[in-house]
Amino acid sequence: MQPQEFDETYRVLIVSPEVVPFAKTGGLADVAGSLPKALAMHGNDVRVVLPRYRGIEPERTVGDFPVMVGDRKETAILREGSIMARLNEEEKRVPVYFIDNYHYFDRDNIYGYYDEAERYAFFSKAVLAMLRFLNWRPEIIHCNDWQTGPIPALLRQWEQADSFYSDIATVYTIHNLRYQGNFHPSTIHLLGLGQEYLTPERMEFYGELSYMKAGIVYADMVSTVSRTYSEEIQTPEFGERMEGVLRSRAEDLYGIVNGINYHEFNPATDQRIYQRYTDPEGKRANKYGLQGEMGLPRKDVPLFGLISRLVDQKGLDLIAQISDELMGHDLQVVVLGTGDPHYEDMFRTLRERYPDKVGVHIGFNAALAQKIYAGADLFLMPSRYEPCGLGQLISLRYGTIPIVRETGGLKDTITDYDPETRHGNGFSFRDYDSSAFLSAIRRSLAVYHNEPVWRELVENAMNCDFSWNRSATEYMGLYGAALRKVHRILTA
Ligand code: ADP
């Protein structure tokens, strides 16, 4: 289903375990950093909250308050910073709250600890307690991913005892269903919820307690980051065992495709790339710069980019299967990524075997990513599944033509180029199959070698609009739907 668009504005708290520019491991952080700005520009009173991980430097300390974690009293120190939303001359400040606790969050990494259940139980409870502390009551709490899943359930419980928490609506957005936050059932105690919550109708999930399921079951509205993904996850193939729960919420399940920040991702002003540009011709200097930096010969051959977490989801085994055939063509490939050591080795080996054709950087490097988006001609995203995907959207903005598998948000944002009608903004293939992938690459090469047509395709890509503006309006529609639902329940 798609939400109806809505004109009203709201008081919204966006809760996310990661937010650009403070903490990022994946696309969720980009969403949580960009959506609030777009919502602010639409006139909403929007604020953001995340944990204060090590390295984040807030502007000020607001105060502290107690939070019970199981039987233990912990302290949440509330700190505040901001992100600035800009539209032409207009500027708006979006308050960002940081929940600080030295024990839980002052660590080297964002995730990957033995006590994840406890860390995010603390965070979830602290977020609700923070509202009382600030005496700020949002109309909507917008939760994101498993780390925030308990919040809708806690809210329903807390409102029984304290009317401050009643008639607040919740929206829960799934950015990637694979990461569910499933823990030992005893975790329920940490959340301060009773055993009665451990049933299949509520938070129990195959013998465990699932934070993700709590969000899906208790939120007033549920969304994912593309319409296709919202449909796919209701099937066993993509459902990660959560398909039944999702089907039970099908009426309230929406898909809203992410945007990207068109100010941050702008080839005309981007300081990280070799040369700024506004038309396809301007990519050439960036291509030469990238070839130089990656140790590849400077040549006018098609240059493919790949920027990705190196995990199974991203379809990298398809790349392994086609690599020899691909290298038979006169082309170059540049890879930036980090993740599964197996894939890191695969790309290192490819570089050793084809040093004139393959450039590899293993690691996370935001500046190099921009150079690749600007310098590459084509961008590879043969994902097995892809809730939304940001890489293809950034590529379009930089006039780099995506080659994608038709799944999730890739299917919703990339239209296969048709040389007859000259319609489309990329190349796509349907089956998860190396020959289908290879055939899409061959079609892209044929168009690449027809220079005027290629130029037109690059222009098409650069003219696409996947800014946050439209998605933000859709989220406002969803907020309206969630609020109407809560009020109906209250007046029933
Ligand atoms: P996911 O959230 O599954 O990782 P997305 O395509 O939604 O995938 O978002 C990934 C984001 O992270 C993109 O902005 C991409 O450019 C960036 N990214 C991924 N890997 C790296 C890396 N190694 N270095 C820099 N940026 C990266």
Side-chain angles (χ1 to χ4, degrees):
M1 291 180 74
Q2 291 303 298
Q4 215 189 323
E5 289 202 358
F6 213 72
D7 257 337
E8 289 179 37
T9 56
Y10 305 98
R11 284 190 309 280
V12 187
L13 177 69
I14 296 194
V15 191
S16 172
E18 39 186 283
V19 179
V20 162
F22 307 108
K24 167 166 169 168
T25 70
L28 161 64
D30 294 302
V31 176
S34 303
L35 174 62
K37 294 188 198 177
L39 288 171
M41 282 307 169
H42 278 279
N44 297 279
D45 174 3
V46 54
R47 308 185 188 186
V48 181
V49 59
L50 74 155
R52 188 222 177 162
Y53 303 107
R54 184 179 289 171
I56 295 180
E57 303 215 356
E59 292 161 18
R60 69 181 190 112
T61 299
V62 184
D64 59 70
F65 49 86
V67 175
M68 292 302 292
V69 180
D71 300 327
R72 217 177 49 248
K73 191 153 114 187
E74 285 284 344
T75 299
I77 308 167
L78 183 62
R79 304 191 196 271
E80 190 185 328
S82 57
I83 42 185
M84 295 308 290
R86 274 188 200 92
L87 189 68
N88 305 323
E89 297 302 292
E90 204 188 345
E91 216 180 37
K92 276 191 185 160
R93 177 180 186 274
V94 176
V96 178
Y97 297 112
F98 302 100
I99 302 286
D100 198 352
N101 173 290
Y102 299 117
H103 170 58
Y104 290 127
F105 299 124
D106 188 23
R107 302 184 185 182
D108 286 342
N109 298 308
I110 297 182
Y111 310 125
Y113 297 99
Y114 69 96
D115 58 349
E116 298 295 71
E118 187 172 330
R119 297 172 76 215
Y120 290 101
F122 168 77
F123 176 65
S124 294
K125 296 186 81 176
V127 166
L128 290 182
M130 170 188 89
L131 299 177
R132 244 244 172 266
F133 181 79
L134 291 169
N135 198 22
W136 182 67
R137 215 169 70 154
E139 294 164 285
I140 306 288
I141 301 180
H142 182 172
C143 302
N144 294 277
D145 273 356
W146 70 261
Q147 295 88 343
T148 66
I151 291 175
L154 289 168
L155 183 70
R156 292 284 92 94
Q157 194 218 28
W158 288 26
E159 71 180 346
Q160 316 272 323
D162 183 351
S163 63
F164 177 86
Y165 292 103
S166 53
D167 70 25
I168 299 176
T170 51
V171 170
Y172 181 66
T173 301
I174 300 166
H175 295 262
N176 191 334
L177 191 60
R178 172 144 310 169
Y179 307 102
Q180 300 180 342
N182 300 334
F183 304 109
H184 192 274
S186 61
T187 305
I188 200 77
H189 174 66
L190 299 175
L191 290 168
L193 296 174
Q195 291 294 320
E196 70 274 16
Y197 281 84
L198 282 177
T199 64
E201 294 73 38
R202 293 179 151 189
M203 294 161 70
E204 189 266 346
F205 186 65
Y206 293 92
E208 295 187 293
L209 165 67
S210 172
Y211 281 17
M212 169 77 81
K213 181 170 171 179
I216 298 172
V217 169
Y218 282 94
D220 296 302
M221 288 287 163
V222 180
S223 76
T224 66
V225 287
S226 67
R227 185 205 285 241
T228 296
Y229 191 60
S230 78
E231 287 159 5
E232 287 172 339
I233 56 177
Q234 297 181 52
T235 67
E237 189 187 347
F238 295 93
E240 306 282 351
R241 303 194 299 173
M242 208 63 90
E243 61 274 11
V245 183
L246 287 159
R247 274 202 305 274
S248 75
R249 298 289 327 253
E251 285 227 326
D252 302 321
L253 176 59
Y254 292 89
I256 301 177
V257 96
N258 293 330
I260 53 169
N261 183 330
Y262 267 41
H263 297 289
E264 184 189 345
F265 296 113
N266 183 356
T269 56
D270 194 333
Q271 294 300 317
R272 296 167 292 193
I273 64 181
Y274 303 97
Q275 196 180 94
R276 280 147 289 288
Y277 60 99
T278 50
D279 63 19
E281 195 43 46
K283 287 181 68 65
R284 193 179 301 272
N286 285 292
K287 181 167 175 171
Y288 293 155
L290 180 63
Q291 287 168 328
E293 183 156 343
M294 299 301 286
L296 295 170
R298 288 189 187 194
K299 285 170 79 178
D300 282 318
V301 292
L303 177 58
F304 290 74
L306 185 146
I307 304 171
S308 180
R309 290 185 294 121
L310 302 180
V311 295
D312 287 338
Q313 171 197 338
K314 301 294 178 179
L316 304 167
D317 50 338
L318 289 186
I319 299 205
Q321 288 166 36
I322 65 163
S323 58
D324 284 332
E325 276 189 79
L326 192 63
M327 294 303 146
H329 294 270
D330 193 14
L331 50 74
Q332 295 174 343
V333 181
V334 165
V335 177
L336 167 63
T338 171
D340 185 338
H342 157 79
Y343 292 121
E344 293 185 349
D345 287 344
M346 170 184 120
F347 285 118
R348 283 195 193 99
T349 309
L350 206 60
R351 158 97 187 150
E352 278 161 25
R353 288 180 57 205
Y354 300 98
D356 282 350
K357 291 192 163 178
V358 180
V360 175
H361 182 97
I362 299 297
F364 192 94
N365 185 330
L368 180 58
Q370 289 319 110
K371 294 185 167 98
I372 298 174
Y373 286 120
D377 299 298
L378 297 120
F379 193 77
L380 297 173
M381 254 177 121
S383 305
R384 194 181 280 276
Y385 72 95
E386 195 62 73
C388 176
L390 295 175
Q392 83 281 19
L393 303 181
I394 305 172
S395 292
L396 290 173
R397 177 78 166 143
Y398 284 77
T400 302
I401 304 304
I403 301 181
V404 307
R405 186 166 164 259
E406 290 162 21
T407 181
L410 297 174
K411 184 172 171 189
D412 294 354
T413 56
I414 302 302
T415 314
D416 194 33
Y417 185 71
D418 181 343
E420 298 281 308
T421 62
R422 295 190 165 190
H423 177 73
N425 59 5
F427 296 89
S428 66
F429 61 101
R430 204 188 59 192
D431 296 334
Y432 192 80
D433 171 293
S434 59
S435 57
F437 183 28
L438 206 50
S439 127
I441 292 178
R442 290 208 180 98
R443 283 189 287 118
S444 76
L445 290 174
V447 179
Y448 177 88
H449 291 296
N450 186 343
E451 223 179 293
V453 179
W454 182 256
R455 192 191 155 93
E456 188 183 278
L457 172 56
V458 173
E459 277 168 2
N460 283 357
M462 292 179 80
N463 287 330
C464 289
D465 183 3
F466 287 103
S467 61
W468 267 104
N469 198 30
R470 194 198 43 211
S471 311
T473 338
E474 286 190 45
Y475 273 110
M476 287 165 71
L478 191 59
Y479 297 157
L483 261 184
R484 280 195 294 276
K485 210 170 154 220
V486 166
H487 284 278
R488 209 167 42 235
I489 289 169
L490 285 179
T491 51

